[in-house]
Amino acid sequence: PRVVAGGEGAVSPDEISQNITNDILDKLLEKGFDTEDLSRTLGEEQGPYQNVFIQEMDVHNNLLGEIIRSLKELLLGFAGELTMSDAMDTLKGSMYLDRIPPLWNKRAWPSLRSLQSWLIDFMQRLTQLEDWQNNPMEIPRCTWISGLVNPQSFLTAICQVTAQKNQWELDKLVTWTDITKKESVDQVEGLSRDGAYIIGLSMQGARWDQQGGVLERSRPKEMFCKMPVINVRGVAADKADTSAAFFKCPCYKTEQRGPTYVFEANIKTKVSPAKWVLAGVALIMDVI
């Protein structure tokens, strides 16, 4: 039952939902991207990386539009100026129960977060795009790949840039991952020479031994191992190392795995890759 403790100063579920609605609107009303103006500014300089970030901006604009529209409509419902529809009632319930509203979820990325945690994550995603917008000719020194709605497109852009640079055939390239000694973005001094630096991945089922530079068993009670900065580059498929020295580690957007698959990372191992397959080892982008 949606009952709040009685007494003076007690807050009703509707008041809680209304307060959260106003708070979200205050944070997001001024957000948004003018992608058409940005495309005109870039002109012929718009390359694969620029295409990826502009597409990300379009997705976020669409989501922002739905969030602002639905919340403004809900406020009219609270004020008695509109009759509460089923959709508005569902949105109000989501505010109160700290869940991502279904209409927002359809336009967003897969997530197992609560609403408040999701909003913090959303703000960080917007910040990354705003930072890139200030210097659109270059990608970030280290891209927070977990903050992209479509990380696959960024990985494809890496291969496209490599193919253009070396006059190679795109369909014969694959992505290759090199795990660096850099543990944070602050340690990345410049752009990668032959690919792009990414961060934001965590390993489940095993851990990365930074000193030994190899995959190892998880420590007791350690659910996830935060991965260091990774250099992703495009290499010819026939030259990629397919030996047992590397474990092809699947990467997923959430702990739900299956439908959120992104790509395979190449991680060095001293034991047979079959051991890590049986252990269910994977990289997860969004760890709560």
Side-chain angles (χ1 to χ4, degrees), residues 232-247:
V232 183
R233 52 195 175 91
V235 299
D238 58 353
K239 293 184 179 179
D241 192 334
T242 56
S243 69
F246 290 94
F247 164 55

Side-chain angles (χ1 to χ4, degrees), residues 18-20 31 38 49 61 64 66 77 88 122 138 160 162 166 170 174 178 198 201 247 250 253 257 287:
Q18 189 169 355
N19 290 337
I20 294 172
K31 298 292 183 180
L38 189 57
Y49 291 130
N61 279 340
L64 281 166
E66 174 58 27
M88 292 163 68
F122 186 28
E138 290 188 1
Q160 288 175 328
T162 303
N166 299 290
L170 179 61
V174 295
D178 299 306
I198 64 169
L201 305 181
F247 164 55
K253 292 180 182 179
R257 298 201 179 192
V287 173

Side-chain angles (χ1 to χ4, degrees), residues 179 200-210 214-219 221-228 230 267 281-284 287:
I179 300 176
L201 305 181
S202 296
M203 183 173 287
Q204 186 179 35
R207 68 181 177 89
W208 174 253
D209 181 5
Q210 185 71 319
V214 72
L215 201 57
E216 293 287 356
R217 292 178 59 185
S218 297
R219 294 189 177 95
K221 299 181 181 180
E222 184 182 66
M223 288 292 293
F224 296 96
C225 168
K226 186 177 179 181
M227 296 296 289
I230 298 174
I267 301 181
V281 177
L283 292 172
I284 309 294
V287 173

Side-chain angles (χ1 to χ4, degrees), residues 1-184:
R2 299 182 188 177
V3 177
V4 180
E8 289 187 15
V11 182
S12 71
D14 278 10
E15 288 176 314
I16 292 173
S17 298
Q18 189 169 355
N19 290 337
I20 294 172
T21 298
N22 283 316
D23 184 53
I24 296 173
L25 279 174
D26 287 342
K27 291 177 180 176
L28 299 181
L29 265 178
E30 302 300 321
K31 298 292 183 180
F33 306 97
D34 189 345
T35 54
E36 290 184 2
D37 181 62
L38 189 57
S39 293
R40 284 194 298 269
T41 302
L42 288 169
E44 295 181 358
E45 298 297 324
Q46 185 170 322
Y49 291 130
Q50 284 75 20
N51 289 335
V52 170
F53 281 101
I54 287 175
Q55 288 168 7
E56 289 287 321
M57 288 177 173
D58 285 332
V59 173
H60 283 75
N61 279 340
N62 182 270
L63 177 57
L64 281 166
E66 174 58 27
I67 291 174
I68 292 169
R69 182 206 64 78
S70 59
L71 291 182
K72 283 183 175 180
E73 185 180 66
L74 184 59
L75 286 180
L76 291 175
F78 284 131
E81 297 177 29
L82 280 179
T83 303
M84 279 285 184
S85 64
D86 290 342
M88 292 163 68
D89 197 52
T90 299
L91 178 59
K92 180 178 71 173
S94 297
M95 296 292 106
Y96 178 70
L97 297 171
D98 197 25
R99 294 174 181 167
I100 306 169
L103 285 176
W104 301 2
N105 214 12
K106 286 181 181 179
R107 292 169 169 78
W109 50 92
S111 179
L112 303 178
R113 292 173 179 264
S114 65
L115 177 59
Q116 291 303 317
S117 176
W118 182 85
L119 287 168
I120 292 170
D121 183 59
F122 186 28
M123 294 298 290
Q124 291 172 341
R125 290 167 181 260
L126 290 173
T127 298
Q128 174 167 247
L129 292 176
E130 288 167 352
D131 289 343
W132 174 78
Q133 186 178 229
N134 295 330
N135 185 19
M137 294 308 299
E138 290 188 1
I139 61 170
R141 284 179 303 166
C142 184
T143 300
W144 176 43
I145 196 168
S146 306
L148 300 179
V149 178
N150 187 11
Q152 293 95 325
S153 63
F154 184 78
L155 297 172
T156 301
I158 292 173
C159 290
Q160 288 175 328
V161 171
T162 303
Q164 292 171 4
K165 181 180 178 181
N166 299 290
Q167 299 295 306
W168 293 344
E169 294 180 50
L170 179 61
D171 59 355
K172 293 184 178 179
L173 295 182
V174 295
T175 55
W176 186 266
T177 52
D178 299 306
I179 300 176
T180 72
K181 295 294 184 181
K182 302 174 177 67
E183 296 187 6
S184 67

